[in-house]
Amino acid sequence: MEPQMIQSESRKRGRPSVFDPEQALEAAMCTFWQHGYIGASVDLISRETAMPRATLYQRFGGKEGLFLAVLDHYAATRIKPLLARLGPEGTLQADLTRFFDAVVTLATEDDRARGCLVSCVLADAAGTHPGFRQELAKRFSLLERRIETRLRHAATIGEHVSGTPDVQALLIASVARGLMVRARSGATAQELSRVGRAAAKLGVG
């Protein structure tokens, strides 16, 4: 075999010749999501992302910095589209139903990474890491404020909103997180969808 052909075959089987930060973040996200923060060792991350340890430390400062970057990637690629389901597009109940359907889909569509990177992985890591606790509180608050904004919009156009928007937003967000955790434990999409559809009525009941 010619040397040029050997080099070409090597590229196909080995690591990409050009490092792609977005692909690396996606792969790292899946690794943390599947194995948890503690379970995702630096060696495992390097292998799954095709990112040398030296590159990981140079670009992200280490595993913790990479995890924080992964959370931003997750928010942009997974949470942002989910929150878009809140509209407003239809009635409050219709938009909440769409939101909970998206929650269930996100939590169950990949058996290797069930649940939620924030509600499951970050929440677990936050138990022994003060910085992660602050990160968890920030990301929980963002979800609650977005739901509260949707509830307040419904009230301004004359739709009935049960209770005060801030409390209802916390309740709805808590149910969404609970669905994520149940998905992590193996609950099926069908089981969770029934709960989500019932929860969609919380804001209008």
Side-chain angles (χ1 to χ4, degrees), residues 24-44:
L25 283 174
E26 182 73 16
M29 180 188 72
C30 294
T31 304
F32 281 121
W33 203 342
Q34 181 178 0
H35 297 280
Y37 180 75
I38 299 299
S41 67
V42 171
D43 286 340
L44 177 61

Side-chain angles (χ1 to χ4, degrees), residues 10-59:
S10 177
R11 284 203 190 100
K12 290 179 182 178
R13 291 194 299 265
R15 293 174 176 173
S17 58
V18 178
F19 177 71
D20 187 323
E22 285 302 308
Q23 288 184 3
L25 283 174
E26 182 73 16
M29 180 188 72
C30 294
T31 304
F32 281 121
W33 203 342
Q34 181 178 0
H35 297 280
Y37 180 75
I38 299 299
S41 67
V42 171
D43 286 340
L44 177 61
I45 293 167
S46 295
R47 183 167 66 248
E48 294 298 318
T49 61
M51 178 168 49
R53 292 172 64 103
T55 303
L56 188 158
Y57 282 94
Q58 288 168 2
R59 295 188 67 93

Side-chain angles (χ1 to χ4, degrees), residues 103-119:
V103 167
V104 172
T105 298
L106 177 61
T108 61
E109 63 183 346
D110 187 345
D111 279 336
R112 297 168 302 172
R114 293 174 66 87
C116 171
L117 193 69
V118 173
S119 299

Side-chain angles (χ1 to χ4, degrees), residues 135-199:
E135 189 71 20
L136 182 66
K138 180 185 76 175
R139 295 186 183 276
F140 275 7
S141 180
L142 287 171
L143 173 62
E144 291 152 12
R145 289 204 302 269
R146 178 65 180 86
I147 297 172
E148 182 181 349
T149 297
R150 180 63 184 89
L151 295 174
R152 291 191 183 280
H153 171 78
T156 61
I157 62 173
E159 286 192 88
H160 176 69
V161 176
S162 178
T164 59
D166 57 338
V167 174
Q168 284 301 111
L170 179 56
L171 176 60
I172 292 168
S174 296
V175 173
R177 292 173 193 131
L179 293 177
M180 294 291 195
V181 175
R182 288 293 287 122
R184 189 78 163 179
S185 71
T188 67
Q190 183 178 9
E191 292 169 337
L192 299 176
S193 290
R194 290 198 297 267
V195 178
R197 293 300 178 95

